[in-house]
Amino acid sequence: MDSAGLGRAYDELLAEVAAGGFGPAPPGRLGAEQIVAHLVANDELMIEATEAVLAGSPYAYYDLETMHRPQVDALVAEFGDLDALDARLRTTSSRLVALVDRLGPAAGTAVDTHLREGYDLVVDGPLPWGRVLDLHARVHLPKHRAQLRMLRVAE
């Protein structure tokens, strides 16, 4: 796993968050705050998994893509607003990238992984942790960056 690629994916996503100007979400969709809350929670799970891999401990990773709206809303309420969520995402993403820098050969460690990115990507079984991180950088983060971009109110 290339930590530089992961860092670039986060930089692009964080730039989108910082640009702001988001309008309300369409019915049934997540708003900007909910998207960022989802990413914060997901980062925290990925940090735990990466720390477990580095320690040689078994770990199962479950993506929060299917997280229920009340749970996302509770995270938004906990942080208060988009600025606080943005600050927390900057912290969690930096921490994850720093851990990925340390993985080395441990990136090949198989981790029981359960994730879904719409209909395009479904993983339900062991996958090398570096591959999961690569999917996060190349699929998950860009997907949410695009969702944020679609929420931006036209000027």
Side-chain angles (χ1 to χ4, degrees):
M1 171 66 219
D2 172 26
S3 65
L6 181 61
R8 281 190 302 277
Y10 273 114
D11 288 346
E12 291 169 2
L13 182 121
L14 290 165
E16 201 67 46
V17 174
F22 304 112
R29 303 292 239 194
L30 297 179
E33 291 85 0
Q34 288 83 15
I35 291 168
V36 177
H38 158 77
L39 290 167
V40 165
N42 192 66
D43 276 3
E44 289 172 352
L45 288 176
M46 295 191 96
I47 287 166
E48 288 177 18
T50 306
E51 288 173 336
V53 166
L54 286 167
S57 299
Y59 193 87
Y61 168 71
Y62 295 86
D63 176 52
L64 291 179
E65 188 62 32
T66 57
M67 186 179 212
H68 299 287
R69 182 66 180 261
Q71 294 165 307
V72 171
D73 289 342
L75 286 172
V76 171
E78 177 183 335
F79 286 96
D81 62 16
L82 187 58
D83 289 339
L85 285 161
D86 178 37
R88 180 63 182 161
L89 182 59
R90 289 175 186 280
T91 299
T92 59
S93 62
S94 293
R95 187 164 171 220
L96 180 59
V97 170
L99 287 169
V100 170
D101 272 339
R102 296 176 35 211
L103 273 177
T109 302
V111 172
D112 190 23
T113 302
H114 307 275
L115 63 88
R116 175 180 301 269
E117 288 293 334
Y119 298 105
D120 300 327
L121 174 67
V122 177
V123 177
D124 191 18
L127 200 63
W129 188 239
R131 179 69 179 130
V132 176
L133 291 163
D134 183 58
L135 290 169
H136 182 62
R138 293 185 319 111
V139 178
H140 189 233
L141 294 175
K143 172 188 164 189
H144 289 303
R145 186 180 79 231
Q147 287 175 326
L148 288 166
R149 195 172 289 148
M150 289 184 346
L151 290 171
R152 184 154 296 111
V153 176
E155 295 179 12

mmCIF file of all heavy atoms in Angstrom, residues 22-72:
data_model
loop_
_atom_site.group_PDB
_atom_site.id
_atom_site.type_symbol
_atom_site.label_atom_id
_atom_site.label_comp_id
_atom_site.label_asym_id
_atom_site.label_seq_id
_atom_site.Cartn_x
_atom_site.Cartn_y
_atom_site.Cartn_z
ATOM 1 N N PHE A 22 -22.137 23.645 0.755
ATOM 2 C CA PHE A 22 -23.023 22.507 0.542
ATOM 3 C C PHE A 22 -24.469 22.863 0.817
ATOM 4 O O PHE A 22 -24.775 23.545 1.785
ATOM 5 C CB PHE A 22 -22.605 21.331 1.442
ATOM 6 C CG PHE A 22 -21.177 20.911 1.243
ATOM 7 C CD1 PHE A 22 -20.239 21.115 2.246
ATOM 8 C CD2 PHE A 22 -20.759 20.338 0.056
ATOM 9 C CE1 PHE A 22 -18.923 20.743 2.066
ATOM 10 C CE2 PHE A 22 -19.446 19.962 -0.139
ATOM 11 C CZ PHE A 22 -18.517 20.166 0.876
ATOM 12 N N GLY A 23 -25.316 22.369 -0.040
ATOM 13 C CA GLY A 23 -26.746 22.522 0.170
ATOM 14 C C GLY A 23 -27.304 21.285 0.852
ATOM 15 O O GLY A 23 -26.559 20.365 1.201
ATOM 16 N N PRO A 24 -28.604 21.254 1.037
ATOM 17 C CA PRO A 24 -29.227 20.084 1.671
ATOM 18 C C PRO A 24 -29.126 18.861 0.763
ATOM 19 O O PRO A 24 -29.062 18.982 -0.463
ATOM 20 C CB PRO A 24 -30.674 20.510 1.876
ATOM 21 C CG PRO A 24 -30.896 21.626 0.921
ATOM 22 C CD PRO A 24 -29.567 22.288 0.684
ATOM 23 N N ALA A 25 -29.134 17.712 1.386
ATOM 24 C CA ALA A 25 -29.079 16.456 0.630
ATOM 25 C C ALA A 25 -30.453 16.145 0.052
ATOM 26 O O ALA A 25 -31.471 16.488 0.652
ATOM 27 C CB ALA A 25 -28.638 15.328 1.545
ATOM 28 N N PRO A 26 -30.473 15.488 -1.090
ATOM 29 C CA PRO A 26 -31.754 15.014 -1.619
ATOM 30 C C PRO A 26 -32.379 14.028 -0.628
ATOM 31 O O PRO A 26 -31.670 13.402 0.165
ATOM 32 C CB PRO A 26 -31.370 14.309 -2.919
ATOM 33 C CG PRO A 26 -29.999 14.787 -3.255
ATOM 34 C CD PRO A 26 -29.353 15.158 -1.958
ATOM 35 N N PRO A 27 -33.691 13.873 -0.665
ATOM 36 C CA PRO A 27 -34.358 12.932 0.244
ATOM 37 C C PRO A 27 -33.712 11.537 0.188
ATOM 38 O O PRO A 27 -33.417 11.024 -0.890
ATOM 39 C CB PRO A 27 -35.797 12.889 -0.270
ATOM 40 C CG PRO A 27 -35.972 14.199 -0.991
ATOM 41 C CD PRO A 27 -34.629 14.518 -1.584
ATOM 42 N N GLY A 28 -33.477 10.990 1.372
ATOM 43 C CA GLY A 28 -32.907 9.654 1.467
ATOM 44 C C GLY A 28 -31.398 9.578 1.324
ATOM 45 O O GLY A 28 -30.826 8.498 1.431
ATOM 46 N N ARG A 29 -30.739 10.685 1.071
ATOM 47 C CA ARG A 29 -29.278 10.712 0.900
ATOM 48 C C ARG A 29 -28.638 11.369 2.103
ATOM 49 O O ARG A 29 -29.285 12.108 2.846
ATOM 50 C CB ARG A 29 -28.901 11.505 -0.353
ATOM 51 C CG ARG A 29 -29.545 10.979 -1.602
ATOM 52 C CD ARG A 29 -29.000 9.655 -1.943
ATOM 53 N NE ARG A 29 -28.418 9.740 -3.256
ATOM 54 C CZ ARG A 29 -28.084 8.685 -3.955
ATOM 55 N NH1 ARG A 29 -28.257 7.499 -3.465
ATOM 56 N NH2 ARG A 29 -27.569 8.821 -5.134
ATOM 57 N N LEU A 30 -27.341 11.145 2.260
ATOM 58 C CA LEU A 30 -26.598 11.775 3.345
ATOM 59 C C LEU A 30 -26.180 13.182 2.951
ATOM 60 O O LEU A 30 -25.792 13.423 1.812
ATOM 61 C CB LEU A 30 -25.352 10.958 3.687
ATOM 62 C CG LEU A 30 -25.563 9.545 4.221
ATOM 63 C CD1 LEU A 30 -24.220 8.877 4.483
ATOM 64 C CD2 LEU A 30 -26.425 9.536 5.456
ATOM 65 N N GLY A 31 -26.231 14.095 3.922
ATOM 66 C CA GLY A 31 -25.724 15.443 3.732
ATOM 67 C C GLY A 31 -24.227 15.477 3.987
ATOM 68 O O GLY A 31 -23.610 14.476 4.366
ATOM 69 N N ALA A 32 -23.628 16.639 3.782
ATOM 70 C CA ALA A 32 -22.175 16.787 3.948
ATOM 71 C C ALA A 32 -21.723 16.369 5.339
ATOM 72 O O ALA A 32 -20.726 15.653 5.488
ATOM 73 C CB ALA A 32 -21.762 18.228 3.651
ATOM 74 N N GLU A 33 -22.440 16.790 6.364
ATOM 75 C CA GLU A 33 -22.053 16.440 7.731
ATOM 76 C C GLU A 33 -22.103 14.935 7.948
ATOM 77 O O GLU A 33 -21.213 14.354 8.569
ATOM 78 C CB GLU A 33 -22.956 17.144 8.760
ATOM 79 C CG GLU A 33 -22.772 18.637 8.829
ATOM 80 C CD GLU A 33 -23.604 19.395 7.780
ATOM 81 O OE1 GLU A 33 -24.345 18.754 6.984
ATOM 82 O OE2 GLU A 33 -23.499 20.627 7.743
ATOM 83 N N GLN A 34 -23.133 14.282 7.430
ATOM 84 C CA GLN A 34 -23.256 12.840 7.597
ATOM 85 C C GLN A 34 -22.159 12.095 6.841
ATOM 86 O O GLN A 34 -21.632 11.095 7.334
ATOM 87 C CB GLN A 34 -24.635 12.353 7.147
ATOM 88 C CG GLN A 34 -25.753 12.738 8.078
ATOM 89 C CD GLN A 34 -26.268 14.155 7.838
ATOM 90 O OE1 GLN A 34 -25.992 14.775 6.817
ATOM 91 N NE2 GLN A 34 -27.021 14.664 8.791
ATOM 92 N N ILE A 35 -21.812 12.567 5.655
ATOM 93 C CA ILE A 35 -20.737 11.934 4.886
ATOM 94 C C ILE A 35 -19.424 12.020 5.656
ATOM 95 O O ILE A 35 -18.701 11.025 5.792
ATOM 96 C CB ILE A 35 -20.605 12.587 3.493
ATOM 97 C CG1 ILE A 35 -21.822 12.255 2.632
ATOM 98 C CG2 ILE A 35 -19.309 12.142 2.803
ATOM 99 C CD1 ILE A 35 -21.938 13.070 1.356
ATOM 100 N N VAL A 36 -19.117 13.198 6.182
ATOM 101 C CA VAL A 36 -17.854 13.368 6.914
ATOM 102 C C VAL A 36 -17.885 12.552 8.212
ATOM 103 O O VAL A 36 -16.883 11.929 8.577
ATOM 104 C CB VAL A 36 -17.541 14.853 7.157
ATOM 105 C CG1 VAL A 36 -16.276 15.013 7.991
ATOM 106 C CG2 VAL A 36 -17.388 15.584 5.814
ATOM 107 N N ALA A 37 -19.030 12.488 8.884
ATOM 108 C CA ALA A 37 -19.143 11.673 10.102
ATOM 109 C C ALA A 37 -18.894 10.202 9.773
ATOM 110 O O ALA A 37 -18.204 9.494 10.515
ATOM 111 C CB ALA A 37 -20.513 11.864 10.742
ATOM 112 N N HIS A 38 -19.450 9.738 8.672
ATOM 113 C CA HIS A 38 -19.217 8.357 8.227
ATOM 114 C C HIS A 38 -17.725 8.116 8.016
ATOM 115 O O HIS A 38 -17.178 7.099 8.449
ATOM 116 C CB HIS A 38 -19.999 8.089 6.935
ATOM 117 C CG HIS A 38 -19.451 6.963 6.132
ATOM 118 N ND1 HIS A 38 -19.657 5.636 6.457
ATOM 119 C CD2 HIS A 38 -18.668 6.964 5.025
ATOM 120 C CE1 HIS A 38 -19.026 4.883 5.564
ATOM 121 N NE2 HIS A 38 -18.431 5.662 4.697
ATOM 122 N N LEU A 39 -17.055 9.053 7.372
ATOM 123 C CA LEU A 39 -15.622 8.896 7.103
ATOM 124 C C LEU A 39 -14.802 8.892 8.388
ATOM 125 O O LEU A 39 -13.839 8.124 8.508
ATOM 126 C CB LEU A 39 -15.143 9.991 6.144
ATOM 127 C CG LEU A 39 -15.665 9.845 4.714
ATOM 128 C CD1 LEU A 39 -15.419 11.119 3.923
ATOM 129 C CD2 LEU A 39 -15.040 8.637 4.032
ATOM 130 N N VAL A 40 -15.166 9.730 9.349
ATOM 131 C CA VAL A 40 -14.470 9.743 10.643
ATOM 132 C C VAL A 40 -14.609 8.384 11.314
ATOM 133 O O VAL A 40 -13.622 7.795 11.778
ATOM 134 C CB VAL A 40 -15.018 10.870 11.553
ATOM 135 C CG1 VAL A 40 -14.577 10.680 12.997
ATOM 136 C CG2 VAL A 40 -14.582 12.237 11.032
ATOM 137 N N ALA A 41 -15.841 7.869 11.381
ATOM 138 C CA ALA A 41 -16.072 6.576 12.026
ATOM 139 C C ALA A 41 -15.328 5.465 11.295
ATOM 140 O O ALA A 41 -14.734 4.579 11.921
ATOM 141 C CB ALA A 41 -17.569 6.281 12.074
ATOM 142 N N ASN A 42 -15.333 5.513 9.976
ATOM 143 C CA ASN A 42 -14.637 4.507 9.193
ATOM 144 C C ASN A 42 -13.125 4.591 9.417
ATOM 145 O O ASN A 42 -12.458 3.563 9.555
ATOM 146 C CB ASN A 42 -14.976 4.671 7.713
ATOM 147 C CG ASN A 42 -14.511 3.479 6.916
ATOM 148 O OD1 ASN A 42 -15.013 2.383 7.100
ATOM 149 N ND2 ASN A 42 -13.533 3.693 6.061
ATOM 150 N N ASP A 43 -12.587 5.797 9.463
ATOM 151 C CA ASP A 43 -11.151 5.963 9.754
ATOM 152 C C ASP A 43 -10.792 5.327 11.089
ATOM 153 O O ASP A 43 -9.757 4.666 11.213
ATOM 154 C CB ASP A 43 -10.767 7.444 9.818
ATOM 155 C CG ASP A 43 -10.474 8.056 8.468
ATOM 156 O OD1 ASP A 43 -10.618 7.357 7.440
ATOM 157 O OD2 ASP A 43 -10.106 9.244 8.447
ATOM 158 N N GLU A 44 -11.634 5.547 12.080
ATOM 159 C CA GLU A 44 -11.345 4.995 13.407
ATOM 160 C C GLU A 44 -11.299 3.472 13.366
ATOM 161 O O GLU A 44 -10.440 2.851 13.993
ATOM 162 C CB GLU A 44 -12.333 5.535 14.427
ATOM 163 C CG GLU A 44 -12.069 7.017 14.700
ATOM 164 C CD GLU A 44 -13.109 7.708 15.555
ATOM 165 O OE1 GLU A 44 -14.163 7.103 15.850
ATOM 166 O OE2 GLU A 44 -12.859 8.872 15.936
ATOM 167 N N LEU A 45 -12.190 2.847 12.592
ATOM 168 C CA LEU A 45 -12.141 1.395 12.425
ATOM 169 C C LEU A 45 -10.886 0.967 11.671
ATOM 170 O O LEU A 45 -10.259 -0.042 12.019
ATOM 171 C CB LEU A 45 -13.380 0.902 11.678
ATOM 172 C CG LEU A 45 -14.685 0.920 12.456
ATOM 173 C CD1 LEU A 45 -15.834 0.494 11.545
ATOM 174 C CD2 LEU A 45 -14.601 0.007 13.669
ATOM 175 N N MET A 46 -10.520 1.715 10.647
ATOM 176 C CA MET A 46 -9.324 1.370 9.877
ATOM 177 C C MET A 46 -8.052 1.552 10.713
ATOM 178 O O MET A 46 -7.097 0.796 10.564
ATOM 179 C CB MET A 46 -9.259 2.188 8.587
ATOM 180 C CG MET A 46 -10.391 1.850 7.636
ATOM 181 S SD MET A 46 -10.174 2.544 6.005
ATOM 182 C CE MET A 46 -9.451 1.111 5.198
ATOM 183 N N ILE A 47 -8.041 2.547 11.587
ATOM 184 C CA ILE A 47 -6.914 2.739 12.498
ATOM 185 C C ILE A 47 -6.794 1.527 13.417
ATOM 186 O O ILE A 47 -5.702 0.972 13.598
ATOM 187 C CB ILE A 47 -7.075 4.055 13.302
ATOM 188 C CG1 ILE A 47 -6.820 5.256 12.387
ATOM 189 C CG2 ILE A 47 -6.143 4.073 14.515
ATOM 190 C CD1 ILE A 47 -7.268 6.590 12.982
ATOM 191 N N GLU A 48 -7.915 1.096 13.999
ATOM 192 C CA GLU A 48 -7.899 -0.081 14.879
ATOM 193 C C GLU A 48 -7.395 -1.310 14.137
ATOM 194 O O GLU A 48 -6.583 -2.077 14.666
ATOM 195 C CB GLU A 48 -9.300 -0.357 15.431
ATOM 196 C CG GLU A 48 -9.776 0.629 16.459
ATOM 197 C CD GLU A 48 -11.206 0.345 16.912
ATOM 198 O OE1 GLU A 48 -11.698 -0.794 16.702
ATOM 199 O OE2 GLU A 48 -11.822 1.260 17.474
ATOM 200 N N ALA A 49 -7.867 -1.515 12.918
ATOM 201 C CA ALA A 49 -7.440 -2.672 12.138
ATOM 202 C C ALA A 49 -5.950 -2.595 11.814
ATOM 203 O O ALA A 49 -5.230 -3.594 11.916
ATOM 204 C CB ALA A 49 -8.260 -2.769 10.853
ATOM 205 N N THR A 50 -5.473 -1.422 11.430
ATOM 206 C CA THR A 50 -4.062 -1.261 11.088
ATOM 207 C C THR A 50 -3.184 -1.476 12.310
ATOM 208 O O THR A 50 -2.134 -2.129 12.231
ATOM 209 C CB THR A 50 -3.813 0.126 10.455
ATOM 210 O OG1 THR A 50 -4.704 0.289 9.340
ATOM 211 C CG2 THR A 50 -2.377 0.266 9.987
ATOM 212 N N GLU A 51 -3.603 -0.956 13.463
ATOM 213 C CA GLU A 51 -2.848 -1.191 14.699
ATOM 214 C C GLU A 51 -2.814 -2.678 15.036
ATOM 215 O O GLU A 51 -1.786 -3.203 15.475
ATOM 216 C CB GLU A 51 -3.452 -0.394 15.858
ATOM 217 C CG GLU A 51 -3.185 1.094 15.748
ATOM 218 C CD GLU A 51 -3.921 1.930 16.787
ATOM 219 O OE1 GLU A 51 -4.973 1.473 17.314
ATOM 220 O OE2 GLU A 51 -3.449 3.052 17.067
ATOM 221 N N ALA A 52 -3.934 -3.381 14.828
ATOM 222 C CA ALA A 52 -3.974 -4.818 15.088
ATOM 223 C C ALA A 52 -3.029 -5.565 14.153
ATOM 224 O O ALA A 52 -2.297 -6.466 14.582
ATOM 225 C CB ALA A 52 -5.401 -5.344 14.946
ATOM 226 N N VAL A 53 -3.020 -5.195 12.874
ATOM 227 C CA VAL A 53 -2.116 -5.824 11.910
ATOM 228 C C VAL A 53 -0.664 -5.592 12.332
ATOM 229 O O VAL A 53 0.149 -6.519 12.336
ATOM 230 C CB VAL A 53 -2.379 -5.295 10.477
ATOM 231 C CG1 VAL A 53 -1.246 -5.664 9.531
ATOM 232 C CG2 VAL A 53 -3.710 -5.810 9.953
ATOM 233 N N LEU A 54 -0.338 -4.373 12.713
ATOM 234 C CA LEU A 54 1.031 -4.062 13.154
ATOM 235 C C LEU A 54 1.422 -4.846 14.401
ATOM 236 O O LEU A 54 2.589 -5.210 14.572
ATOM 237 C CB LEU A 54 1.183 -2.558 13.400
ATOM 238 C CG LEU A 54 1.243 -1.702 12.142
ATOM 239 C CD1 LEU A 54 1.069 -0.217 12.488
ATOM 240 C CD2 LEU A 54 2.555 -1.933 11.393
ATOM 241 N N ALA A 55 0.448 -5.120 15.268
ATOM 242 C CA ALA A 55 0.721 -5.865 16.498
ATOM 243 C C ALA A 55 0.671 -7.381 16.285
ATOM 244 O O ALA A 55 0.972 -8.139 17.199
ATOM 245 C CB ALA A 55 -0.282 -5.470 17.581
ATOM 246 N N GLY A 56 0.265 -7.806 15.091
ATOM 247 C CA GLY A 56 0.164 -9.233 14.815
ATOM 248 C C GLY A 56 -1.092 -9.880 15.373
ATOM 249 O O GLY A 56 -1.154 -11.096 15.517
ATOM 250 N N SER A 57 -2.094 -9.087 15.676
ATOM 251 C CA SER A 57 -3.348 -9.591 16.237
ATOM 252 C C SER A 57 -4.379 -9.788 15.134
ATOM 253 O O SER A 57 -4.423 -9.014 14.185
ATOM 254 C CB SER A 57 -3.918 -8.594 17.248
ATOM 255 O OG SER A 57 -3.033 -8.413 18.313
ATOM 256 N N PRO A 58 -5.238 -10.795 15.287
ATOM 257 C CA PRO A 58 -6.309 -10.969 14.292
ATOM 258 C C PRO A 58 -7.332 -9.843 14.424
ATOM 259 O O PRO A 58 -7.545 -9.315 15.511
ATOM 260 C CB PRO A 58 -6.925 -12.317 14.665
ATOM 261 C CG PRO A 58 -6.567 -12.515 16.100
ATOM 262 C CD PRO A 58 -5.273 -11.786 16.341
ATOM 263 N N TYR A 59 -7.938 -9.492 13.305
ATOM 264 C CA TYR A 59 -8.905 -8.406 13.307
ATOM 265 C C TYR A 59 -9.871 -8.620 12.158
ATOM 266 O O TYR A 59 -9.490 -9.111 11.102
ATOM 267 C CB TYR A 59 -8.201 -7.047 13.143
ATOM 268 C CG TYR A 59 -9.092 -5.871 13.443
ATOM 269 C CD1 TYR A 59 -9.219 -5.389 14.731
ATOM 270 C CD2 TYR A 59 -9.829 -5.258 12.441
ATOM 271 C CE1 TYR A 59 -10.049 -4.313 15.020
ATOM 272 C CE2 TYR A 59 -10.653 -4.190 12.714
ATOM 273 C CZ TYR A 59 -10.756 -3.723 14.004
ATOM 274 O OH TYR A 59 -11.579 -2.663 14.284
ATOM 275 N N ALA A 60 -11.113 -8.241 12.360
ATOM 276 C CA ALA A 60 -12.105 -8.239 11.286
ATOM 277 C C ALA A 60 -12.499 -6.790 11.033
ATOM 278 O O ALA A 60 -12.718 -6.030 11.972
ATOM 279 C CB ALA A 60 -13.324 -9.063 11.671
ATOM 280 N N TYR A 61 -12.579 -6.415 9.769
ATOM 281 C CA TYR A 61 -12.925 -5.044 9.391
ATOM 282 C C TYR A 61 -14.284 -5.044 8.715
ATOM 283 O O TYR A 61 -14.507 -5.756 7.738
ATOM 284 C CB TYR A 61 -11.870 -4.471 8.444
ATOM 285 C CG TYR A 61 -12.302 -3.186 7.790
ATOM 286 C CD1 TYR A 61 -12.396 -2.019 8.530
ATOM 287 C CD2 TYR A 61 -12.652 -3.149 6.448
ATOM 288 C CE1 TYR A 61 -12.816 -0.838 7.939
ATOM 289 C CE2 TYR A 61 -13.063 -1.969 5.855
ATOM 290 C CZ TYR A 61 -13.150 -0.825 6.611
ATOM 291 O OH TYR A 61 -13.569 0.337 6.037
ATOM 292 N N TYR A 62 -15.190 -4.245 9.252
ATOM 293 C CA TYR A 62 -16.521 -4.082 8.685
ATOM 294 C C TYR A 62 -16.693 -2.619 8.289
ATOM 295 O O TYR A 62 -16.681 -1.744 9.144
ATOM 296 C CB TYR A 62 -17.602 -4.448 9.715
ATOM 297 C CG TYR A 62 -17.570 -5.901 10.101
ATOM 298 C CD1 TYR A 62 -16.741 -6.347 11.120
ATOM 299 C CD2 TYR A 62 -18.356 -6.830 9.430
ATOM 300 C CE1 TYR A 62 -16.696 -7.689 11.469
ATOM 301 C CE2 TYR A 62 -18.326 -8.165 9.779
ATOM 302 C CZ TYR A 62 -17.493 -8.589 10.794
ATOM 303 O OH TYR A 62 -17.449 -9.906 11.139
ATOM 304 N N ASP A 63 -16.840 -2.382 7.000
ATOM 305 C CA ASP A 63 -17.047 -1.026 6.512
ATOM 306 C C ASP A 63 -18.385 -0.497 7.018
ATOM 307 O O ASP A 63 -19.353 -1.237 7.146
ATOM 308 C CB ASP A 63 -17.037 -1.025 4.984
ATOM 309 C CG ASP A 63 -17.350 0.332 4.410
ATOM 310 O OD1 ASP A 63 -16.705 1.307 4.803
ATOM 311 O OD2 ASP A 63 -18.258 0.403 3.561
ATOM 312 N N LEU A 64 -18.426 0.791 7.279
ATOM 313 C CA LEU A 64 -19.651 1.403 7.805
ATOM 314 C C LEU A 64 -20.571 1.932 6.714
ATOM 315 O O LEU A 64 -21.454 2.722 6.982
ATOM 316 C CB LEU A 64 -19.289 2.546 8.755
ATOM 317 C CG LEU A 64 -18.647 2.134 10.063
ATOM 318 C CD1 LEU A 64 -18.316 3.364 10.899
ATOM 319 C CD2 LEU A 64 -19.556 1.223 10.852
ATOM 320 N N GLU A 65 -20.377 1.495 5.493
ATOM 321 C CA GLU A 65 -21.218 1.992 4.405
ATOM 322 C C GLU A 65 -22.695 1.737 4.683
ATOM 323 O O GLU A 65 -23.555 2.512 4.297
ATOM 324 C CB GLU A 65 -20.809 1.335 3.082
ATOM 325 C CG GLU A 65 -21.488 1.918 1.872
ATOM 326 C CD GLU A 65 -21.157 3.382 1.660
ATOM 327 O OE1 GLU A 65 -20.057 3.817 1.993
ATOM 328 O OE2 GLU A 65 -22.030 4.099 1.151
ATOM 329 N N THR A 66 -22.971 0.648 5.386
ATOM 330 C CA THR A 66 -24.366 0.325 5.654
ATOM 331 C C THR A 66 -24.823 0.864 7.016
ATOM 332 O O THR A 66 -25.859 0.463 7.523
ATOM 333 C CB THR A 66 -24.580 -1.203 5.612
ATOM 334 O OG1 THR A 66 -23.701 -1.815 6.561
ATOM 335 C CG2 THR A 66 -24.322 -1.744 4.225
ATOM 336 N N MET A 67 -24.052 1.772 7.577
ATOM 337 C CA MET A 67 -24.407 2.372 8.866
ATOM 338 C C MET A 67 -25.766 3.055 8.758
ATOM 339 O O MET A 67 -26.069 3.707 7.771
ATOM 340 C CB MET A 67 -23.334 3.395 9.236
ATOM 341 C CG MET A 67 -23.480 3.991 10.593
ATOM 342 S SD MET A 67 -22.106 5.138 10.855
ATOM 343 C CE MET A 67 -21.897 4.944 12.595
ATOM 344 N N HIS A 68 -26.574 2.887 9.771
ATOM 345 C CA HIS A 68 -27.920 3.455 9.758
ATOM 346 C C HIS A 68 -27.888 4.961 10.000
ATOM 347 O O HIS A 68 -27.055 5.478 10.728
ATOM 348 C CB HIS A 68 -28.783 2.766 10.814
ATOM 349 C CG HIS A 68 -28.915 1.306 10.562
ATOM 350 N ND1 HIS A 68 -29.686 0.793 9.553
ATOM 351 C CD2 HIS A 68 -28.352 0.241 11.178
ATOM 352 C CE1 HIS A 68 -29.606 -0.520 9.561
ATOM 353 N NE2 HIS A 68 -28.800 -0.882 10.530
ATOM 354 N N ARG A 69 -28.812 5.637 9.390
ATOM 355 C CA ARG A 69 -28.891 7.098 9.477
ATOM 356 C C ARG A 69 -28.897 7.620 10.918
ATOM 357 O O ARG A 69 -28.196 8.591 11.207
ATOM 358 C CB ARG A 69 -30.121 7.577 8.705
ATOM 359 C CG ARG A 69 -30.310 9.075 8.673
ATOM 360 C CD ARG A 69 -29.171 9.738 7.884
ATOM 361 N NE ARG A 69 -29.317 11.153 7.827
ATOM 362 C CZ ARG A 69 -29.818 11.814 6.797
ATOM 363 N NH1 ARG A 69 -30.227 11.192 5.724
ATOM 364 N NH2 ARG A 69 -29.891 13.120 6.826
ATOM 365 N N PRO A 70 -29.628 6.996 11.858
ATOM 366 C CA PRO A 70 -29.589 7.507 13.238
ATOM 367 C C PRO A 70 -28.183 7.472 13.843
ATOM 368 O O PRO A 70 -27.815 8.360 14.609
ATOM 369 C CB PRO A 70 -30.551 6.586 13.999
ATOM 370 C CG PRO A 70 -31.494 6.085 12.957
ATOM 371 C CD PRO A 70 -30.655 5.950 11.711
ATOM 372 N N GLN A 71 -27.389 6.471 13.482
ATOM 373 C CA GLN A 71 -26.023 6.394 13.992
ATOM 374 C C GLN A 71 -25.163 7.527 13.420
ATOM 375 O O GLN A 71 -24.374 8.136 14.136
ATOM 376 C CB GLN A 71 -25.400 5.038 13.654
ATOM 377 C CG GLN A 71 -26.093 3.887 14.369
ATOM 378 C CD GLN A 71 -25.726 2.553 13.756
ATOM 379 O OE1 GLN A 71 -25.856 2.343 12.563
ATOM 380 N NE2 GLN A 71 -25.248 1.652 14.611
ATOM 381 N N VAL A 72 -25.321 7.785 12.136
ATOM 382 C CA VAL A 72 -24.580 8.879 11.505
ATOM 383 C C VAL A 72 -25.008 10.212 12.120
ATOM 384 O O VAL A 72 -24.178 11.053 12.459
ATOM 385 C CB VAL A 72 -24.793 8.882 9.973
ATOM 386 C CG1 VAL A 72 -24.201 10.129 9.343
ATOM 387 C CG2 VAL A 72 -24.191 7.639 9.348
#
